[in-house]
Amino acid sequence: MSRTDPRLFVPDESSPWKEGGVISLSAGQAHYLGKVMRLQQGDGVVLFNGRDGEWQATLDEIGKNQAGVRLLSCLRPQQETEGVELLFAPLKRDATELVIRMGTEMGVTRFRPVLTARTNTHRLNLERLGLIAQEAAEQCERLDVPAIMPLEPLATVLARWPVRRRLAVALERRDGGEAPGHCDALLIGPEGGFSEEEVVRLSRHEAVQSFSLGPRILRADTAACAALARIGRTGQVM
């Protein structure tokens, strides 16, 4: 594997990957390899599909809208990403995309956008956000791409949230303790914070443990990054 070899996620679930197998790439990936990266037949490519690990491959053929690669050897076996699920209130487009990108790089296993009383955005382009998560996974060399769930009201999510799944909540302007020693998920509120009703609902939920990110009021995207850094990649405080 060369550090200059392009790395691509290929969501191929047709059959297990093996040496000598031929994988077809999408038209967009063919354009990227041929027109952007200027690759030719025989050049190296690194592939992963979130199931069969990371593979060294070689470009067998490439055309305007299609490309085929041949698998050579497995570079890394599949490993589950150790991290937390991130619940967040959608922000303006650029800030939401930044949360997806940074969260993917920091090991978020799944993104769950939630509607709160002060959520500014009520529509999300899940396809675009999925592509951003994919590009971030390709760049940071993780072996999977985190899922992005449909937008739901926070109250609905909390109503079915299992008590056994520890949910850390970063609250601003509140007396909060340190980040929990272990959690399964992290909730970051919208710009302007949670409403009083939401704070009460959170405080009454047995799975919730609130904590503070310090005396400064952070932007929501900054708070997400800071909280993920505090929680650590395995859901434990670093």
Side-chain angles (χ1 to χ4, degrees), residues 112-175:
R112 190 179 296 276
V114 293
L115 282 171
T116 68
R118 295 171 182 160
T119 297
N120 293 324
T121 301
H122 290 67
R123 297 177 63 185
L124 290 175
N125 186 335
L126 296 181
E127 182 178 356
R128 175 173 172 79
L129 295 180
L131 288 175
I132 290 172
Q134 177 180 316
E135 290 172 358
E138 292 171 344
Q139 181 274 324
C140 72
E141 298 189 358
R142 64 184 283 176
L143 293 175
D144 58 0
V145 177
I148 302 176
M149 307 304 291
L151 182 63
E152 292 185 284
L154 176 60
T156 300
V157 174
L158 289 177
R160 67 167 187 267
W161 192 267
V163 173
R164 66 180 183 278
R165 295 200 69 216
R166 306 305 300 171
L167 176 60
V169 182
L171 295 178
E172 61 183 19
R173 296 189 176 95
R174 305 281 173 177
D175 293 331

Side-chain angles (χ1 to χ4, degrees), residues 91 95-96 98-99 102 106 170 186 188-189 191 213 216-230:
L91 309 166
T96 294
L98 183 60
V99 168
M102 291 191 303
M106 298 183 73
L186 170 67
I188 300 294
E191 302 286 359
L213 288 173
R216 300 180 184 86
I217 303 302
L218 306 179
R219 287 171 51 102
D221 50 348
T222 304
C225 185
L228 286 170
R230 289 276 296 277

Side-chain angles (χ1 to χ4, degrees), residues 1 3 7-9 17 19 46-57 71-82 136-145 233:
M1 172 183 176
R3 288 186 176 275
R7 186 172 188 270
L8 299 176
F9 173 72
W17 287 8
E19 293 182 13
V46 176
L47 304 179
F48 67 108
N49 64 1
R51 183 193 62 189
D52 296 301
E54 181 179 67
W55 285 74
Q56 180 67 57
L71 300 175
L72 300 179
S73 61
C74 184
L75 300 172
R76 288 189 290 164
Q78 188 65 33
Q79 296 177 339
E80 183 179 354
T81 298
E82 296 181 339
E138 292 171 344
Q139 181 274 324
C140 72
E141 298 189 358
R142 64 184 283 176
L143 293 175
D144 58 0
V145 177
R233 67 183 182 89

Side-chain angles (χ1 to χ4, degrees), residues 8-11 24-32 64-67 134:
L8 299 176
F9 173 72
V10 181
S24 296
L25 303 182
S26 68
Q29 290 172 327
H31 174 82
Y32 171 72
K64 183 177 181 181
N65 294 312
Q66 62 181 9
Q134 177 180 316

